[in-house]
Each structure stands twice: as structure tokens, then as C-alpha cells.
Amino acid sequence: MSKRPASPSNSQALAKRARGTTPPSNQIAISVPANTREQALVRTVKRTSGLESPIVALNGGHTGEILSARFDPTGQNIAACSTDCSVSLWRTYAPSNNYGQLPHIHKTAITDLQWSLNSPILYTASADKTIIMSDLTTGERVKRLRGHGGIINAIARTAAGASGIELLATASDDGTVKIWEGGSEGTRYNVADWSIGCPATAVCWGPDGNSVYIGALDNLIHVYDLRKGEQVAVLGGHTDTPTSLSLSPDGSYILSPSLSSQTIIHDIRPFSPLPTRVFKVLQGAPAGFENALLRGAWSRSDGGSRVAVGGADRTVTVWDVETTKIQYKLPGHKGTVTCVDFHPKEPIILTGSKDTTLLLGELEESA
């Protein structure tokens, strides 16, 4: 009986595969394509938020263009409004479902919205020239405010004074900005009314709850004092109409994109060392030819080290404020990105588009 011949050295021998290490729970594994001679590479990406996945698409809530979308003060919920006259409500975290709908609460397009800080009320502004307060626990309308003679382009909310009375500011095509009392107990009539002299496209409150910043068709940002009831300053620098205004988390700066595709950050501190108060000028987010009122935002989980603005190129541009360098050019939408918001506690960005969809994206933590 002869011995079995030894296997040739170049034969295909069975080898035990080494067990790979399981990535931590806050990481995901990504398979990277490789050529035919090499094995595929696998790398892990660290997760930075509690989202179900790094990118979450929120579809099916609207049949028209989304004009504004915002996180609630807790970051747990999202509200979006559209040209289809409705508001959709979403969960931020898994399963990120469309848990509520406020259909046809206005007669025409809903242009902007704000969450109340101290009650379950959502404020909406519309092209039908009215503001509506809706109770989100019942879905019922609490109040309708009338007074504007033109399309309302923007609404801003703040809590004023020690009494905690919520105040609203609305900017309209009728060339006025009006101040209203929020909440179910407020009056139905405006408590202040300022004529800008041309259509007002954007509005936001200053850090003291007394100053109101107003973007207008004259390419200027007008600053009004609520106590004095008059204009106290003007901020220049734009060569076309500002499309939105957003206050930085520390209350020192105002972000304003414009129809010229130029985004400016103004220094609004009382003793600014800059004569023109133009702190930074950002390029990279094209406004396009549609004249859409694109809404920018400051990051909040890191104290405002980043800003973001959507564009007609169907992307969102995210800049580092200090260096003015573009950190991200985020794709995913099939139409102009009209609105952006940042999560209050985590590095999550929310975007809405003319393609009727919303996207949630996870960013890397700031250095």
C-alpha cells in the first residue's frame, strides 16, 4: 500500500478566515470597490448623531415645493410648509415618520413657519396675507391674524422681557413689518407697525428681543428699535435683495444670503471694530434665476462655527465661519434647496427643496 502523494505547494488549500473585529455601535462599515486582483476594502465611519442612518429622506409629505422647514426647540420634531397650503410634521429620530399633517390651513402657499418656545403652537405665514396659530396637540386653529396687505414672506419669533410674552415679527410685500403677540392669550391686532418703503423679504430678532432686523428689496438690512418705534441703523454690503436673516447662537452676528449669490455675515455687537460691520463674505451658493427666498442657518450644537445656505445647483453649501472655507457641498435634492436648519443639540442638518422632499444629514463634529 503506497503513501498518498503530498499536495503540490501551489494548489488551492483551504485556510481559516481570520475573524474581523466588530465595529463599535456608533460606527458603520462601508465596503469599498476594489480591482479583481485585490480583496474589497472595508472601512468604518464614526457616527456623530442618533439618526437611524447618516442620511434620512423624508418623502411623501407634500405635493408642492417646500418653502420652509425647522426643528422644534427640543430637536425631536420637524415641521415643514409648502406651496400645497399644508404643514407636515415629522419625527427626527427612528422611525422618522410623518406623524401629522395640517392640510389646507391657509388659502394659498405657506411661506414660512416658527415653533412656539413655550406652548404647543405652530405659527405659519402665508401668501394669503395672514398668520395662523395652530395647536399641535389637537390640530385645531387657535387664531388667525390679519393686517398685511401683501404676501407675508417671513416670520420670526422671540420671547420678550421677564414676562415671557412671545412676540412675532412678520415681513411682507406690502412694505411693512408688523409685531404681534404670540400665544393663545395675545391680541388679534398688531402691537407695532413699521413702513420700510419697499417690499420686506426677511426678518429676525436681535439678541435683546428689542431690535428687529429687516431685509428689503432696496438691498439693505434695516434695524428698528421696538421701544423707540423707529429705525436706528442700516446695514449695507449687499448688491441684491437679502433672502433671509438668521441670528448667530451667541447673538453677535447676522447671516444674510441674497439674490446676488453672495452671503454676508454682519457683526451686530454694540461696539463692533468694523466700520461697515461686514464680518465675512461667503461665496459658493448660487441663487439662480428663480428669485427664491433661500433661507440660511447657523449650526447650534457647536455654538455657531458653521453656516449653511441652499442653492439653485440643488446642493447645500456649508462654510466654516472663521476661515470662510466650504466644508461641505451636500447633494441629494432634485430641485433648488430652499431652506436649511441645524439640529439644536447634534451635528444634523435639515434641508427642504422645490422637489417636495426633505433630507436629514449627519455632519462630522466641529474641530
Side-chain angles (χ1 to χ4, degrees), residues 149-299:
I151 294 170
I152 302 174
N153 294 310
I155 183 169
R157 175 262 305 131
T158 190
S163 63
I165 297 176
E166 208 159 53
L167 295 178
L168 306 174
T170 52
S172 170
D173 275 354
D174 63 10
T176 68
V177 167
K178 298 182 187 296
I179 308 298
W180 315 79
E181 289 183 348
S184 58
E185 304 300 324
T187 176
R188 292 178 181 270
Y189 305 100
N190 58 272
V191 296
D193 186 347
W194 304 317
S195 177
I196 309 302
C198 62
T201 56
V203 65
C204 81
W205 290 89
D208 56 0
N210 179 61
S211 302
V212 182
Y213 293 80
I214 304 160
L217 206 65
D218 59 5
N219 306 343
L220 299 173
I221 298 173
H222 303 260
V223 187
Y224 274 73
D225 186 287
L226 183 59
R227 295 191 188 96
K228 295 179 180 178
E230 61 184 23
Q231 181 172 299
V232 294
V234 171
L235 301 177
H238 283 295
T239 57
D240 209 335
T241 306
T243 60
S244 69
L245 298 175
S246 179
L247 179 69
S248 65
D250 66 357
S252 298
Y253 305 97
I254 290 280
L255 172 73
S256 58
S258 75
L259 294 180
S260 69
S261 302
Q262 179 176 264
T263 298
I264 292 179
I265 298 176
H266 285 95
D267 187 344
I268 62 168
R269 292 174 295 179
F271 303 101
S272 171
L274 305 170
T276 63
R277 291 190 174 270
V278 174
F279 177 61
K280 301 287 182 181
V281 177
L282 309 174
Q283 304 282 357
F289 59 87
E290 300 167 304
N291 289 341
L293 297 182
L294 306 180
R295 306 188 188 280
W298 293 82
S299 60

Side-chain angles (χ1 to χ4, degrees), residues 62 97 109 221 287 305 349:
H62 292 284
N97 60 320
I221 298 173
S305 67
I349 191 170

Side-chain angles (χ1 to χ4, degrees), residues 57-70 78-90 97-106 108-113 115 122 124-125 333 338-339 350-359:
L58 308 178
N59 302 320
H62 292 284
T63 58
E65 301 171 357
I66 293 175
L67 300 182
S68 184
R70 301 183 193 275
I78 296 165
C81 62
S82 167
T83 57
D84 63 12
C85 312
S86 68
V87 170
S88 60
L89 302 171
W90 305 80
N97 60 320
N98 179 198
Y99 70 87
Q101 202 81 10
L102 302 176
H104 304 290
I105 58 174
H106 285 274
T108 55
I110 303 174
T111 55
D112 200 6
L113 55 77
W115 294 83
L122 187 74
T124 53
H333 284 292
T338 54
C339 53
L350 167 68
T351 61
S353 169
K354 288 194 171 188
D355 65 9
T356 76
T357 67
L358 298 164
L359 289 176

Side-chain angles (χ1 to χ4, degrees), residues 261 281-286 305-309 313 315-330:
S261 302
V281 177
L282 309 174
Q283 304 282 357
S305 67
R306 295 183 281 210
V307 294
V309 177
D313 60 355
T315 69
V316 178
T317 307
V318 182
W319 294 271
D320 178 272
V321 173
E322 188 59 36
T323 65
T324 70
K325 291 182 178 179
I326 295 176
Q327 287 190 340
Y328 297 93
K329 249 323 201 179
L330 302 174

